[in-house]
Amino acid sequence: MKPICKSAYLLLGLFFSITTPGLAQNVFKPYALRTEYLEQPIGLDNPHPRFTWMLNDSRQGAKQTAYQLFVGTDSVAVSRGMGSSWATPKTASADILATYSGKPLQAYTKYFWRVDAWDKNGVKASSVVSSFEMGVMKMTNWKGTWISDEQGVNVKPAPYFRTTFGTGKKVISARAYIAVAGLYELYLNGEKIGNHRLDPMYTRFDRRTLYVTYDVTKQIMAGKNAIGVLLGNGWYNHQSTAVWDFDKATWRNRPAFCLDLRITYNDGTTETIRSDEHWKTSFSPITLNSIYTAEHYDARLEQPGWNTISFDDAKWKPAFNRPAPSQNITAQAMHPILNVEEIPAQSVNRLDDGAYVFDLGRNISGVSKFKVSGKVGTVIRLKHGERLYKNGHVDLSNIDIHYRPTDEKDPFQVDIFTLSGKGEETFMPRFNYKGFQFVEVTSSEPIELTKENLTGYFMHSDVPPVGKLSTSNPIINKIWAATNNSYLSNLFGYPTDCPQREKNGWTGDAHIAVETGLYNFDGITIYEKWLSDHRDEQQPNGVLPSIIPTSGWGYEWGNGPDWTSTIAIIPWDIYLFYGDKKILKDNYENITRYVNHINDIYPTGLTTWGLGDWVPVKSKSPVEMTSTAYYFADVTIAAKIAGLMGIKADEAKYVTLAAKIKNAFNAKYLNQQTGNYNTGLQTELAVPLYWGLVPDNFKSRIAKRLADRVTTDNFHLDVGVLGGRAILSALSDNGYADVAYQIASQETYPSWGWWMVNGATTLYENWKIDAKSDISLNHIMFGDVGAWLYRGIGGIKPDEKQGGFKNVIMQPNFVTGLDQYTATHRGPYGGIISSWKRNGSAVEYSVTIPPNSSADLYFPVQDGKKPYLAGKAVPIAYHVSAGVYQFVIK
């Protein structure tokens, strides 16, 4: 498999190291400078951007004792320690995050910054100079007009737009700012600008519209130039019909865009080439495009050179002015969707009826690229699916069940490519993605194909990897990889449930998988954007829909606290993993409005609002139990955030409310005589343990009862998604890690390993691989197992008192049945490593704590064994500073 976006994978070495490649390990130096969690971004709108950095220092006890930032528009001055825009004093602090508070930042302006840091001995070191660039910043700064063609929402062909302009002076720099309702590709002088896919990201279009910034300096030619824009429907003009009614969205319209191309010349003047009614438009060869179903392309309709200066557009029509889709046009400051990985077809099978079926060898989200030669007018159909019928044809029955087509012109996950007959031709969808492993190709005319004719592209938000895990158990390794594949397959500028049947931002799936995502990937930019979507969708009374964004569906079903707790859980987890309080401040009012509403409508403290333990194996727990547990979690988080923000009255209010919920829950469901919850199902025991509802004096009894219940169930799962989120940690956090591992490593039904031994490369929606419904083969809702592999075996946990792994809670479990384990997580301070292996009856345990942080280690000793460091016994609770430590437990 060939990586396409090399950046994410080249960074892997950096992310898994606590020092900078190329620097001597004993050289103290700040490095890895980022602005708004991005490397040298352009087009920012935040007037108070955040700066973060790391320290290169491999010495034991390495730490930062002070820092100083310099920000200015002159890179040379900044490199010399002068900041014309902001220069902080030397600040005695170990902080590696600072928020800009200097002179007001100006639109379209490039700024440079560096940080000086002082080490544990008071020695100063300076970083290299980094940069960031501000974007449009204000609605009133836009010069262009929103334009489209004059077609209606049901017109299928995607429109081209073009204009020309001239440059009479030498160009120093040029930036293109493009805001789109729908999707787009931007071209300058025939060259596609950038490598992003499916821009801009999906939002509630009538409340917030995103724009993207490009550096196009190199594409501007002396003299005449041509700009081309191709628009796609995306979620804005949803022409396909399904149960969620996106075709009835109030915002729905023909795609439109606004573009400012701002050119700076060598004499210091600027000029803005803008979109307006003088642009010209025509239909493209894309005859149908649906983010949900597929894309159709007729190569006979191509207009060669349409986006170049020499093209004759005399037959094209004038563009049409349109109102802006919203009054909130903001920068898209996040990791983009890319074709991240190229996956050649592993095999091709020709069936008796002449169809060819290609197999990528793994399930992905993305598209296929198809190349072929054939007669003019030949129609190629490419059907994408996750499984095959017994006769070898692609089976869509597990993923097309919610599609409600009005005719046969828009088949589900079937691209249609009509050939021009001009030699070898290539087709890859521009404005669609699918979930698939197999592609069935049929043709209206005979064609000869080999497996080289088709290639898959794994598409997702290109979040940098920050976690790596390997063990001596191949099944565990496969579960970890499959979980990551499903997580990435469901990250497209917002977290989704599945990349084929729905592509919806189901809230429950997202909060279940958030820790899996954060242990493995640097996803803060995606989640911050998605929480903005939450704020856009929240009703005045606090209610949220079950899918976000939405056209209106989901306010009436599936949106109780067991699902829409995303508003509280995700900001809190981002704080725990990054130590950044901004997301807490941004969402605090929304969190409190949400829990206040639940308190208003369920004053007893118990709530039945929710879906419950979705897709259970066989036993279903009461919805009231699981929804009340999530309500309790939300209120507890609200209290903690209020405490961090110093809002004492709110803290006391929500501590009291949490106590009321806990007492009501235990009064109804805890049998104090038997030490049991309700009927003693796995979910009924695991959920109260995991979310902290069990009274302290009952924890050991409930944990034992859960372990006994799992033993009775032959160490197999009997949970749905909410129980699946809780059960492994409920056991491992309470003295039964061996039992949790037996569940996690199980290879027979029902288990994650059962999927793996049956050939899964992603996680499934249902424990039954032959289920008649709810059987997407790429679902993330059972994905918390990926996080548990870090926290339950490796013991790597954030300390909520010092967020962002400033202090690491390291609580490993040397589980029976596993001989070797290594996990690495790159947190804000650097690489955290928990690694152990058995050596006879002893365990050799290696810990790496990055510079400027510390750890509290808790050793799971038993049978009289003790932990030793350098031959000397140490306490089972042991605090360490930054460094590498080799322990032996014997």
PDB file of all heavy atoms in Angstrom, residues 576-597:
ATOM      1  N   LEU A 576      -8.887  16.883  28.837  1.00  0.00           N
ATOM      2  CA  LEU A 576      -8.032  15.886  29.471  1.00  0.00           C
ATOM      3  C   LEU A 576      -6.818  15.555  28.606  1.00  0.00           C
ATOM      4  O   LEU A 576      -5.707  15.401  29.113  1.00  0.00           O
ATOM      5  CB  LEU A 576      -8.820  14.606  29.752  1.00  0.00           C
ATOM      6  CG  LEU A 576      -9.908  14.677  30.828  1.00  0.00           C
ATOM      7  CD1 LEU A 576     -10.598  13.335  30.953  1.00  0.00           C
ATOM      8  CD2 LEU A 576      -9.330  15.112  32.166  1.00  0.00           C
ATOM      9  N   PHE A 577      -7.013  15.460  27.288  1.00  0.00           N
ATOM     10  CA  PHE A 577      -5.932  15.043  26.401  1.00  0.00           C
ATOM     11  C   PHE A 577      -5.036  16.202  25.959  1.00  0.00           C
ATOM     12  O   PHE A 577      -3.871  15.970  25.623  1.00  0.00           O
ATOM     13  CB  PHE A 577      -6.502  14.338  25.166  1.00  0.00           C
ATOM     14  CG  PHE A 577      -6.796  12.885  25.392  1.00  0.00           C
ATOM     15  CD1 PHE A 577      -7.891  12.477  26.142  1.00  0.00           C
ATOM     16  CD2 PHE A 577      -5.961  11.905  24.881  1.00  0.00           C
ATOM     17  CE1 PHE A 577      -8.163  11.143  26.366  1.00  0.00           C
ATOM     18  CE2 PHE A 577      -6.218  10.552  25.098  1.00  0.00           C
ATOM     19  CZ  PHE A 577      -7.321  10.173  25.845  1.00  0.00           C
ATOM     20  N   TYR A 578      -5.551  17.417  25.949  1.00  0.00           N
ATOM     21  CA  TYR A 578      -4.763  18.552  25.457  1.00  0.00           C
ATOM     22  C   TYR A 578      -4.451  19.595  26.529  1.00  0.00           C
ATOM     23  O   TYR A 578      -3.571  20.439  26.321  1.00  0.00           O
ATOM     24  CB  TYR A 578      -5.488  19.242  24.302  1.00  0.00           C
ATOM     25  CG  TYR A 578      -5.476  18.436  23.017  1.00  0.00           C
ATOM     26  CD1 TYR A 578      -6.437  17.459  22.782  1.00  0.00           C
ATOM     27  CD2 TYR A 578      -4.502  18.642  22.055  1.00  0.00           C
ATOM     28  CE1 TYR A 578      -6.434  16.712  21.619  1.00  0.00           C
ATOM     29  CE2 TYR A 578      -4.485  17.901  20.886  1.00  0.00           C
ATOM     30  CZ  TYR A 578      -5.454  16.938  20.669  1.00  0.00           C
ATOM     31  OH  TYR A 578      -5.432  16.204  19.501  1.00  0.00           O
ATOM     32  N   GLY A 579      -5.187  19.591  27.636  1.00  0.00           N
ATOM     33  CA  GLY A 579      -4.950  20.586  28.674  1.00  0.00           C
ATOM     34  C   GLY A 579      -5.373  21.981  28.266  1.00  0.00           C
ATOM     35  O   GLY A 579      -4.975  22.967  28.893  1.00  0.00           O
ATOM     36  N   ASP A 580      -6.190  22.093  27.227  1.00  0.00           N
ATOM     37  CA  ASP A 580      -6.617  23.377  26.680  1.00  0.00           C
ATOM     38  C   ASP A 580      -8.041  23.645  27.152  1.00  0.00           C
ATOM     39  O   ASP A 580      -8.963  22.878  26.841  1.00  0.00           O
ATOM     40  CB  ASP A 580      -6.544  23.323  25.151  1.00  0.00           C
ATOM     41  CG  ASP A 580      -6.781  24.676  24.495  1.00  0.00           C
ATOM     42  OD1 ASP A 580      -7.340  25.578  25.157  1.00  0.00           O
ATOM     43  OD2 ASP A 580      -6.406  24.832  23.317  1.00  0.00           O
ATOM     44  N   LYS A 581      -8.232  24.744  27.884  1.00  0.00           N
ATOM     45  CA  LYS A 581      -9.538  25.042  28.461  1.00  0.00           C
ATOM     46  C   LYS A 581     -10.470  25.782  27.504  1.00  0.00           C
ATOM     47  O   LYS A 581     -11.637  26.008  27.838  1.00  0.00           O
ATOM     48  CB  LYS A 581      -9.368  25.863  29.743  1.00  0.00           C
ATOM     49  CG  LYS A 581      -8.633  25.129  30.850  1.00  0.00           C
ATOM     50  CD  LYS A 581      -8.472  26.018  32.082  1.00  0.00           C
ATOM     51  CE  LYS A 581      -7.667  25.309  33.165  1.00  0.00           C
ATOM     52  NZ  LYS A 581      -7.454  26.183  34.347  1.00  0.00           N
ATOM     53  N   LYS A 582      -9.968  26.150  26.331  1.00  0.00           N
ATOM     54  CA  LYS A 582     -10.805  26.942  25.418  1.00  0.00           C
ATOM     55  C   LYS A 582     -12.094  26.205  25.065  1.00  0.00           C
ATOM     56  O   LYS A 582     -13.170  26.798  25.041  1.00  0.00           O
ATOM     57  CB  LYS A 582     -10.041  27.285  24.136  1.00  0.00           C
ATOM     58  CG  LYS A 582     -10.836  28.146  23.157  1.00  0.00           C
ATOM     59  CD  LYS A 582     -10.031  28.493  21.919  1.00  0.00           C
ATOM     60  CE  LYS A 582     -10.788  29.459  21.018  1.00  0.00           C
ATOM     61  NZ  LYS A 582     -12.048  28.923  20.487  1.00  0.00           N
ATOM     62  N   ILE A 583     -12.008  24.926  24.786  1.00  0.00           N
ATOM     63  CA  ILE A 583     -13.201  24.180  24.392  1.00  0.00           C
ATOM     64  C   ILE A 583     -14.195  24.067  25.547  1.00  0.00           C
ATOM     65  O   ILE A 583     -15.402  23.969  25.321  1.00  0.00           O
ATOM     66  CB  ILE A 583     -12.808  22.783  23.856  1.00  0.00           C
ATOM     67  CG1 ILE A 583     -13.955  22.189  23.020  1.00  0.00           C
ATOM     68  CG2 ILE A 583     -12.383  21.839  24.981  1.00  0.00           C
ATOM     69  CD1 ILE A 583     -13.554  20.982  22.205  1.00  0.00           C
ATOM     70  N   LEU A 584     -13.707  24.126  26.773  1.00  0.00           N
ATOM     71  CA  LEU A 584     -14.595  24.138  27.929  1.00  0.00           C
ATOM     72  C   LEU A 584     -15.324  25.476  28.022  1.00  0.00           C
ATOM     73  O   LEU A 584     -16.547  25.518  28.235  1.00  0.00           O
ATOM     74  CB  LEU A 584     -13.815  23.881  29.216  1.00  0.00           C
ATOM     75  CG  LEU A 584     -12.996  22.593  29.290  1.00  0.00           C
ATOM     76  CD1 LEU A 584     -12.323  22.486  30.655  1.00  0.00           C
ATOM     77  CD2 LEU A 584     -13.888  21.371  29.034  1.00  0.00           C
ATOM     78  N   LYS A 585     -14.588  26.556  27.825  1.00  0.00           N
ATOM     79  CA  LYS A 585     -15.194  27.886  27.888  1.00  0.00           C
ATOM     80  C   LYS A 585     -16.177  28.095  26.740  1.00  0.00           C
ATOM     81  O   LYS A 585     -17.245  28.677  26.930  1.00  0.00           O
ATOM     82  CB  LYS A 585     -14.097  28.947  27.856  1.00  0.00           C
ATOM     83  CG  LYS A 585     -13.165  28.910  29.056  1.00  0.00           C
ATOM     84  CD  LYS A 585     -12.009  29.889  28.903  1.00  0.00           C
ATOM     85  CE  LYS A 585     -11.061  29.794  30.088  1.00  0.00           C
ATOM     86  NZ  LYS A 585      -9.872  30.690  29.925  1.00  0.00           N
ATOM     87  N   ASP A 586     -15.810  27.605  25.546  1.00  0.00           N
ATOM     88  CA  ASP A 586     -16.674  27.785  24.378  1.00  0.00           C
ATOM     89  C   ASP A 586     -18.012  27.087  24.540  1.00  0.00           C
ATOM     90  O   ASP A 586     -19.025  27.538  23.981  1.00  0.00           O
ATOM     91  CB  ASP A 586     -15.981  27.250  23.119  1.00  0.00           C
ATOM     92  CG  ASP A 586     -14.827  28.122  22.656  1.00  0.00           C
ATOM     93  OD1 ASP A 586     -14.699  29.262  23.146  1.00  0.00           O
ATOM     94  OD2 ASP A 586     -14.049  27.648  21.803  1.00  0.00           O
ATOM     95  N   ASN A 587     -18.033  25.975  25.279  1.00  0.00           N
ATOM     96  CA  ASN A 587     -19.230  25.138  25.330  1.00  0.00           C
ATOM     97  C   ASN A 587     -19.893  25.085  26.698  1.00  0.00           C
ATOM     98  O   ASN A 587     -20.907  24.384  26.850  1.00  0.00           O
ATOM     99  CB  ASN A 587     -18.870  23.714  24.887  1.00  0.00           C
ATOM    100  CG  ASN A 587     -18.442  23.666  23.434  1.00  0.00           C
ATOM    101  OD1 ASN A 587     -19.257  23.743  22.522  1.00  0.00           O
ATOM    102  ND2 ASN A 587     -17.137  23.552  23.211  1.00  0.00           N
ATOM    103  N   TYR A 588     -19.373  25.810  27.671  1.00  0.00           N
ATOM    104  CA  TYR A 588     -19.902  25.693  29.023  1.00  0.00           C
ATOM    105  C   TYR A 588     -21.381  26.087  29.090  1.00  0.00           C
ATOM    106  O   TYR A 588     -22.205  25.369  29.675  1.00  0.00           O
ATOM    107  CB  TYR A 588     -19.089  26.557  29.989  1.00  0.00           C
ATOM    108  CG  TYR A 588     -19.628  26.511  31.403  1.00  0.00           C
ATOM    109  CD1 TYR A 588     -19.528  25.353  32.162  1.00  0.00           C
ATOM    110  CD2 TYR A 588     -20.276  27.618  31.955  1.00  0.00           C
ATOM    111  CE1 TYR A 588     -20.035  25.300  33.457  1.00  0.00           C
ATOM    112  CE2 TYR A 588     -20.786  27.578  33.241  1.00  0.00           C
ATOM    113  CZ  TYR A 588     -20.671  26.421  33.987  1.00  0.00           C
ATOM    114  OH  TYR A 588     -21.184  26.359  35.258  1.00  0.00           O
ATOM    115  N   GLU A 589     -21.733  27.198  28.468  1.00  0.00           N
ATOM    116  CA  GLU A 589     -23.124  27.633  28.508  1.00  0.00           C
ATOM    117  C   GLU A 589     -24.029  26.606  27.850  1.00  0.00           C
ATOM    118  O   GLU A 589     -25.153  26.351  28.322  1.00  0.00           O
ATOM    119  CB  GLU A 589     -23.268  29.000  27.828  1.00  0.00           C
ATOM    120  CG  GLU A 589     -24.649  29.630  27.960  1.00  0.00           C
ATOM    121  CD  GLU A 589     -25.643  29.152  26.904  1.00  0.00           C
ATOM    122  OE1 GLU A 589     -25.207  28.751  25.807  1.00  0.00           O
ATOM    123  OE2 GLU A 589     -26.866  29.147  27.191  1.00  0.00           O
ATOM    124  N   ASN A 590     -23.556  25.972  26.790  1.00  0.00           N
ATOM    125  CA  ASN A 590     -24.356  24.963  26.092  1.00  0.00           C
ATOM    126  C   ASN A 590     -24.532  23.706  26.933  1.00  0.00           C
ATOM    127  O   ASN A 590     -25.598  23.085  26.941  1.00  0.00           O
ATOM    128  CB  ASN A 590     -23.699  24.610  24.763  1.00  0.00           C
ATOM    129  CG  ASN A 590     -23.439  25.828  23.906  1.00  0.00           C
ATOM    130  OD1 ASN A 590     -22.415  26.490  24.064  1.00  0.00           O
ATOM    131  ND2 ASN A 590     -24.361  26.151  23.015  1.00  0.00           N
ATOM    132  N   ILE A 591     -23.470  23.337  27.651  1.00  0.00           N
ATOM    133  CA  ILE A 591     -23.543  22.173  28.541  1.00  0.00           C
ATOM    134  C   ILE A 591     -24.566  22.419  29.644  1.00  0.00           C
ATOM    135  O   ILE A 591     -25.434  21.578  29.921  1.00  0.00           O
ATOM    136  CB  ILE A 591     -22.165  21.860  29.145  1.00  0.00           C
ATOM    137  CG1 ILE A 591     -21.167  21.473  28.043  1.00  0.00           C
ATOM    138  CG2 ILE A 591     -22.271  20.756  30.188  1.00  0.00           C
ATOM    139  CD1 ILE A 591     -19.721  21.441  28.512  1.00  0.00           C
ATOM    140  N   THR A 592     -24.470  23.582  30.264  1.00  0.00           N
ATOM    141  CA  THR A 592     -25.371  23.867  31.390  1.00  0.00           C
ATOM    142  C   THR A 592     -26.813  24.023  30.915  1.00  0.00           C
ATOM    143  O   THR A 592     -27.748  23.597  31.603  1.00  0.00           O
ATOM    144  CB  THR A 592     -24.923  25.117  32.146  1.00  0.00           C
ATOM    145  OG1 THR A 592     -24.841  26.241  31.243  1.00  0.00           O
ATOM    146  CG2 THR A 592     -23.552  24.900  32.785  1.00  0.00           C
ATOM    147  N   ARG A 593     -26.999  24.618  29.741  1.00  0.00           N
ATOM    148  CA  ARG A 593     -28.357  24.732  29.200  1.00  0.00           C
ATOM    149  C   ARG A 593     -28.949  23.346  28.955  1.00  0.00           C
ATOM    150  O   ARG A 593     -30.151  23.116  29.162  1.00  0.00           O
ATOM    151  CB  ARG A 593     -28.307  25.549  27.910  1.00  0.00           C
ATOM    152  CG  ARG A 593     -29.677  25.936  27.402  1.00  0.00           C
ATOM    153  CD  ARG A 593     -29.704  27.068  26.386  1.00  0.00           C
ATOM    154  NE  ARG A 593     -28.485  27.405  25.739  1.00  0.00           N
ATOM    155  CZ  ARG A 593     -28.336  27.473  24.408  1.00  0.00           C
ATOM    156  NH1 ARG A 593     -29.355  27.142  23.619  1.00  0.00           N
ATOM    157  NH2 ARG A 593     -27.210  27.844  23.867  1.00  0.00           N
ATOM    158  N   TYR A 594     -28.104  22.433  28.525  1.00  0.00           N
ATOM    159  CA  TYR A 594     -28.554  21.072  28.243  1.00  0.00           C
ATOM    160  C   TYR A 594     -28.957  20.347  29.530  1.00  0.00           C
ATOM    161  O   TYR A 594     -30.056  19.779  29.624  1.00  0.00           O
ATOM    162  CB  TYR A 594     -27.443  20.325  27.518  1.00  0.00           C
ATOM    163  CG  TYR A 594     -27.781  18.909  27.121  1.00  0.00           C
ATOM    164  CD1 TYR A 594     -28.794  18.645  26.209  1.00  0.00           C
ATOM    165  CD2 TYR A 594     -27.088  17.832  27.654  1.00  0.00           C
ATOM    166  CE1 TYR A 594     -29.106  17.354  25.828  1.00  0.00           C
ATOM    167  CE2 TYR A 594     -27.391  16.530  27.284  1.00  0.00           C
ATOM    168  CZ  TYR A 594     -28.402  16.299  26.368  1.00  0.00           C
ATOM    169  OH  TYR A 594     -28.703  15.017  26.013  1.00  0.00           O
ATOM    170  N   VAL A 595     -28.079  20.333  30.524  1.00  0.00           N
ATOM    171  CA  VAL A 595     -28.410  19.597  31.754  1.00  0.00           C
ATOM    172  C   VAL A 595     -29.529  20.289  32.528  1.00  0.00           C
ATOM    173  O   VAL A 595     -30.329  19.616  33.199  1.00  0.00           O
ATOM    174  CB  VAL A 595     -27.158  19.394  32.642  1.00  0.00           C
ATOM    175  CG1 VAL A 595     -26.128  18.546  31.917  1.00  0.00           C
ATOM    176  CG2 VAL A 595     -26.549  20.712  33.078  1.00  0.00           C
ATOM    177  N   ASN A 596     -29.613  21.608  32.425  1.00  0.00           N
ATOM    178  CA  ASN A 596     -30.722  22.306  33.099  1.00  0.00           C
ATOM    179  C   ASN A 596     -32.060  21.875  32.500  1.00  0.00           C
ATOM    180  O   ASN A 596     -33.056  21.725  33.216  1.00  0.00           O
ATOM    181  CB  ASN A 596     -30.564  23.825  32.962  1.00  0.00           C
ATOM    182  CG  ASN A 596     -29.409  24.367  33.783  1.00  0.00           C
ATOM    183  OD1 ASN A 596     -28.868  23.683  34.653  1.00  0.00           O
ATOM    184  ND2 ASN A 596     -29.014  25.603  33.507  1.00  0.00           N
ATOM    185  N   HIS A 597     -32.079  21.684  31.192  1.00  0.00           N
ATOM    186  CA  HIS A 597     -33.326  21.249  30.541  1.00  0.00           C
ATOM    187  C   HIS A 597     -33.723  19.853  31.018  1.00  0.00           C
ATOM    188  O   HIS A 597     -34.909  19.604  31.281  1.00  0.00           O
ATOM    189  CB  HIS A 597     -33.140  21.253  29.028  1.00  0.00           C
ATOM    190  CG  HIS A 597     -34.333  20.753  28.276  1.00  0.00           C
ATOM    191  ND1 HIS A 597     -35.525  21.459  28.193  1.00  0.00           N
ATOM    192  CD2 HIS A 597     -34.540  19.593  27.586  1.00  0.00           C
ATOM    193  CE1 HIS A 597     -36.397  20.766  27.484  1.00  0.00           C
ATOM    194  NE2 HIS A 597     -35.836  19.628  27.101  1.00  0.00           N
TER     195      HIS A 597
END
